[in-house]
Amino acid sequence: MFSLEIECDPDDRDLLIADLWDHQSAGIVELSNSRVRAFFEDSTDASELLLLFPGSKMRREEDRDWVQSARDLLQPMTVGARFFLVPEWRDDPTPAGRFRIVVNPGMAFGTGVHETTQLCLEALEDFVKPGATVLDVGTGSGILAQAATLLGAGKVYACDTDPVAVEIAKSGFVGSVDAVASASINLLVANISPETNVRIAADLVRVLRPGGILLASGLELAEVELVKAALPAAREVRTKGNWALIVTSTY
């Protein structure tokens, strides 16, 4: 067996993962939001893959069950005060008082393991109000939209420019925030790349109702000031490890 380590733009990661599955990957590990490792059986044409994924790094792997090893990396976990995230192949009981969210790692970004997803889930606990209208921009696996629904939001919309992600999430529409009506959203969460946060900042603010809350994440600490400069004054910046979430609002 061999593996390829591939770097990608965070916005293209879901498409890359889907493409790797299409090319008969035996298992995929998300090393970060911009780097994945895909495993292949020796019967796969490595030279063809290297042409398809230029710049990837190939290495030989020891003889063991890498699919199971990849699964073993993701254990059931609690996030924040309300959530219990469980891989789809586990049947662990849900702790009392927590919402159960079943995740399918590797198919789209947003399994709960990444710090930015955890930051967003914890912030949703604090800012989702009963009956609120919520928009999840760049929904990926749909975990944040699902969390908002569980927390009592009235209407939850989700969008992603990747059709594969929308299909996996089983909710939302293919597109972005520019398709959403102005002043229609109480709470917006955008766990996307810093560059995209900046590029669509005007639309992120435009769709918020007066007093609406924007949760912007997907950024490393060094990128916070770049994103803050494109948004209304931040109410607070939350951090976890080397990652950050900006809380801002309209007035």
Side-chain angles (χ1 to χ4, degrees):
M1 177 169 279
F2 65 92
S3 70
L4 295 181
E5 182 178 325
I6 306 172
E7 299 256 356
C8 65
D9 186 290
D11 289 340
D12 296 331
R13 181 188 51 253
D14 295 338
L15 287 173
L16 171 62
I17 290 173
D19 201 14
L20 289 166
W21 285 123
D22 285 343
H23 285 88
Q24 311 307 313
S25 174
I28 300 172
V29 177
E30 297 180 44
L31 302 174
S32 72
N33 71 337
S34 62
R35 192 161 50 96
V36 302
R37 182 175 298 282
F39 300 91
F40 297 90
E41 300 292 348
D42 288 329
S43 56
T44 307
D45 188 339
S47 60
E48 179 183 350
L49 290 172
L50 290 170
L51 288 174
L52 287 169
F53 305 105
S56 57
K57 300 175 183 177
M58 178 180 168
R59 78 178 186 193
R60 301 299 310 175
E61 301 292 350
E62 63 182 275
D63 187 18
R64 62 181 167 118
D65 187 344
W66 281 100
V67 175
Q68 186 60 49
S69 296
R71 287 186 167 194
D72 289 343
L73 290 174
L74 189 66
Q75 300 293 316
M77 63 187 301
T78 57
V79 177
R82 305 292 303 279
F83 296 110
F84 181 61
L85 276 53
V86 189
E88 62 178 0
W89 55 85
R90 298 285 296 252
D91 59 359
D92 306 62
T94 305
R98 288 188 177 267
F99 295 121
R100 184 185 191 90
I101 296 180
V102 177
V103 296
N104 181 11
M107 294 304 293
F109 186 59
T111 63
V113 170
H114 198 275
E115 289 90 338
T116 59
T117 308
Q118 294 181 35
L119 283 166
C120 290
L121 288 169
E122 292 165 358
L124 287 173
E125 289 183 346
D126 293 335
F127 293 106
V128 171
K129 304 300 182 185
T133 300
V134 177
L135 173 63
D136 177 15
V137 176
T139 191
S141 68
I143 186 174
L144 300 181
Q146 184 179 354
T149 300
L150 291 169
L151 289 167
K155 294 181 179 178
V156 179
Y157 301 101
C159 62
D160 204 297
T161 56
D162 177 10
V164 175
V166 172
E167 181 180 354
I168 292 165
K170 295 182 175 61
S171 66
F173 63 91
V174 179
S176 191
V177 64
D178 58 353
V180 178
S182 298
S184 60
I185 302 299
N186 299 116
L187 175 62
L188 187 154
V189 57
N191 189 20
I192 52 183
S193 72
E195 294 80 11
T196 304
N197 264 306
V198 170
R199 178 171 53 81
I200 65 174
D203 273 323
L204 296 177
V205 175
R206 175 186 61 80
V207 303
L208 288 175
R209 294 172 177 163
I213 300 292
L214 167 61
L215 308 174
S217 193
L219 21 148
E220 296 187 64
L221 298 180
E223 298 160 332
V224 169
E225 293 306 318
L226 171 71
V227 178
K228 281 176 65 177
L231 298 173
R235 291 174 45 164
E236 62 176 303
V237 176
R238 302 183 178 191
T239 62
K240 190 180 290 287
N242 193 46
W243 300 90
L245 176 143
I246 299 171
V247 181
T248 189
S249 62
T250 54
Y251 298 95

